[in-house]
Amino acid sequence: MLDEKIEPFYDEVVRRNPGEVEFHQAVREVVDSLGPVLAKHPRFTERKIIERLCEPERQIIFRVPWIDDAGEVHINRGFRVEVNSALGPYKGGLRFHPSVSLGIVKFLGFEQVFKNALTGMPLGGGKGGSDFDPKGRSDDEIMRFCQSFMTELYRHLGEYTDVPAGDIGVGSREIGYLFGQYKRITNRYESGVLTGKGLEWGGALVRTEATGYGTAMFTREMLAARGELLDGKTCVVSGSGNVAIYAIEKLEQFGATVVACSDSDGVVYDPKGLDVDLLRQIKEVERGRLDRYAQRRDYATHSRGANIWETPCDIALPCATQNELTGRDAATLIRNGVSAVAEGANMPTTPEGVRAFLDAGVAFGPGKAANAGGVATSALEMQQNASRDRWTFEHTEERLDEIMTDIHSLCHRTAEEFGSPGNYVVGANIAGFQRVAHAMVAMGLV
Ligand code: NDP
């Protein structure tokens, strides 16, 4: 049940954004936590901060025409939703996946605002992407698509305006093609306009690893708050993309054993602990499917169509996509003894799943806190670009660790302050909201 003061805002969001169910879900999940903070700061209500946050500052939708290798013309749709710039330039990734729609981009952009606020860095929030499906496309096709996408998007970007990065389907290869086209059109070598760049041309060490590493660090902190260690724990990580691979690597460095990961075809189970080098070789170098892993490693199996959440574990990290862990999956994990869940992906757990974890006393780290390491390291990349500097891997990883530890403490403290000790959902929503809301009040009605 929503707070009665908040229900009308939510109903209005649903009315104004018909059919955008993921956006409705993301808004509901945040506003559901905000009753106590509105009671403490009546000014936020007077200034209609929630209503303003729910209406993006700008929404851009554009046509992306491109030609495949066989000479056939394709038309995709491009999006950039610039949600809020109270704390800094719009910042958030680009997603290339056939499921991308305005509602998906809007939900991701909305979440991004609070996540970026939690990092304490000068970052606003936005998100973008296209319904283009990169699977099975040649390198040249990817390049032509990226060039066409940037030919329209470039006019909305700038290091002080809007700074995209990667997300599902967009890694350093795509960022390279996007940056090349931006540079060509604008005649400016503006490193700070995109993050996730290659190391040879303005990228930062640790950016590739940052989201997954950060999620593992957040998990370590949640366990530490309960007097537990990751060492010796059995973990399961869904997905096998950028976030999943580096979450697995860091969990294993912390002494845990990660026994399963997945892709949209199925699940790999490796009781001896996943071999990250092999995973990286298959996914990043060969750009192959996950079933290859089981073909090359003794004891490992690949089960097509299996549900990863049925694998018994102490710790579960959903790192693939939204709504991939349902109430039923949560019940299975709880029955199998899970003690902590941290979201590497954005909104991977359904509201029923979140409720089940909280009710069962599972330590639950919501994505906007647990996966904030990626965007935080993007801010470190921008910092290095602005000062023409280059930090070592060790220094950057240390900064990332400090940031994740600080985000954990902030969420933990805020949850306690607002009467929900141990509830990181409440802590993250209120702490992120407060930072943005204070800045919005200070800047007046803009
Ligand atoms: P990648 O494209 O590198 O990997 C995505 C992984 O998730 C792949 O294994 C993919 O499998 C799987 N997946 C994607 N869509 C689906 C689906 N509909 N059903 C089942 N599996 C799916 O993306 P990232 O690792 O970068 O992103 C993963 C999640 O983390 C997303 O929610 C993203 O928003 C979030 N995130 C990413 C950040 C980053 O820095 N990259 C930062 C913060 C959050 P398959 O190959 O079969 O499609």
Side-chain angles (χ1 to χ4, degrees):
M1 273 297 284
L2 277 178
D3 184 301
E4 62 180 26
K5 279 212 209 89
I6 289 178
E7 198 154 358
F9 308 145
Y10 176 70
D11 290 346
E12 185 63 3
V13 166
V14 172
R15 192 189 67 74
R16 284 171 71 86
N17 302 277
E20 296 176 0
V21 289
E22 291 85 2
F23 180 53
H24 304 164
Q25 183 184 336
V27 168
R28 188 177 177 119
E29 192 263 332
V30 170
V31 298
D32 200 20
S33 309
L34 298 182
V37 76
L38 295 184
K40 186 172 172 192
H41 299 285
R43 191 109 173 110
F44 294 165
T45 307
E46 280 160 38
R47 289 308 197 181
K48 294 213 183 331
I49 297 297
I50 299 184
E51 290 89 331
R52 283 157 65 194
L53 273 164
C54 291
E55 186 65 26
E57 290 176 13
R58 195 173 294 111
Q59 305 182 51
I60 303 145
I61 303 181
F62 52 100
R63 183 174 65 197
V64 190
W66 59 282
I67 297 182
D68 70 18
D69 289 343
E72 193 182 333
V73 171
H74 297 261
I75 310 293
N76 283 101
R77 190 171 284 176
F79 302 91
R80 187 74 182 164
V81 176
E82 300 178 333
V83 183
N84 193 282
S85 59
L87 293 178
Y90 308 108
K91 181 89 196 90
L94 298 171
R95 176 176 292 191
F96 292 169
H97 192 273
S99 65
V100 167
S101 63
L102 182 61
I104 294 272
V105 175
K106 227 189 260 180
F107 117 65
L108 289 164
F110 182 78
E111 288 272 299
Q112 194 83 44
V113 172
F114 304 97
K115 178 188 314 191
N116 294 2
L118 285 175
T119 67
M121 317 292 253
L123 303 168
K127 198 85 184 187
S130 173
D131 57 0
F132 170 68
D133 187 358
K135 263 190 210 126
R137 290 292 169 196
S138 72
D139 202 50
D140 284 347
E141 288 174 326
I142 299 282
M143 179 179 72
R144 286 196 291 275
F145 177 81
C146 289
Q147 289 177 339
S148 180
F149 185 86
M150 186 52 92
T151 299
E152 175 57 34
L153 189 64
Y154 87 94
R155 68 189 85 244
H156 304 288
L157 306 183
E159 62 179 314
Y160 298 110
T161 312
D162 186 348
V163 184
D167 191 78
I168 292 178
V170 179
S172 65
R173 171 180 61 167
E174 291 74 18
I175 294 291
Y177 294 143
L178 292 163
F179 184 76
Q181 187 72 350
Y182 182 87
K183 180 171 78 62
R184 185 180 190 193
I185 296 174
T186 59
N187 194 29
R188 279 167 62 84
Y189 203 108
E190 195 183 324
S191 299
V193 74
L194 285 168
T195 57
K197 298 182 292 294
L199 292 177
E200 308 78 12
W201 44 278
L205 287 161
V206 192
R207 176 60 190 91
T208 305
E209 295 84 355
T211 309
Y213 276 19
T215 306
M217 290 163 179
F218 193 90
T219 309
R220 179 198 64 200
E221 291 304 301
M222 288 201 300
L223 291 183
R226 297 174 165 218
E228 289 181 47
L229 291 173
L230 261 172
D231 193 19
K233 295 281 192 298
T234 300
C235 307
V236 159
V237 175
S238 67
S240 49
N242 173 264
V243 179
I245 288 175
Y246 292 99
I248 295 168
E249 182 168 84
K250 190 48 78 183
L251 288 170
E252 294 190 342
Q253 286 173 12
F254 286 150
T257 306
V258 186
V259 294
C261 70
S262 62
D263 65 7
S264 50
D265 296 336
V267 176
V268 153
Y269 178 67
D270 187 340
K272 291 195 180 283
L274 289 163
D275 176 343
V276 180
D277 291 335
L278 177 58
L279 206 54
R280 204 188 283 127
Q281 167 68 24
I282 293 168
K283 299 303 295 184
E284 291 182 353
V285 181
E286 301 169 21
R287 293 183 185 274
R289 305 298 297 163
L290 199 53
D291 51 359
R292 257 185 227 176
Y293 181 95
Q295 290 159 14
R296 293 193 200 162
R297 182 140 154 115
D298 292 345
Y299 308 108
T301 53
H302 178 262
S303 312
R304 205 159 281 279
N307 180 349
I308 191 165
W309 308 124
E310 287 170 8
T311 314
C313 60
D314 304 311
I315 316 275
L317 265 56
C319 295
T321 195
Q322 63 275 354
N323 292 329
E324 54 161 316
L325 198 168
T326 63
R328 219 166 133 176
D329 298 327
T332 308
L333 283 163
I334 293 164
R335 209 169 37 247
N336 287 334
V338 78
S339 62
V341 175
E343 296 186 322
N346 285 312
M347 209 170 73
T349 315
T350 63
E352 298 73 32
V354 175
R355 178 55 38 220
F357 288 135
L358 295 177
D359 288 349
V362 171
F364 177 79
K368 59 173 78 68
N371 71 37
V375 74
T377 309
S378 279
L380 302 181
E381 181 175 334
M382 292 159 78
Q383 204 173 324
Q384 290 167 77
N385 292 152
S387 57
R388 306 276 190 272
D389 199 0
R390 191 172 166 74
W391 303 349
T392 62
F393 193 95
E394 291 68 27
H395 174 68
T396 319
E397 193 184 354
E398 226 169 84
R399 289 284 291 117
L400 170 65
D401 204 329
E402 279 166 19
I403 293 168
M404 294 314 298
T405 306
D406 286 352
I407 293 175
H408 172 272
S409 318
L410 175 66
C411 297
H412 197 265
R413 208 168 55 235
T414 309
E416 234 165 56
E417 184 189 334
F418 284 87
S420 301
N423 185 332
Y424 294 97
V425 175
V426 167
N429 286 340
I430 293 187
F433 174 77
Q434 287 199 118
R435 282 193 173 153
V436 185
H438 283 303
M440 288 174 74
V441 169
M443 287 177 200
L445 196 56
V446 290

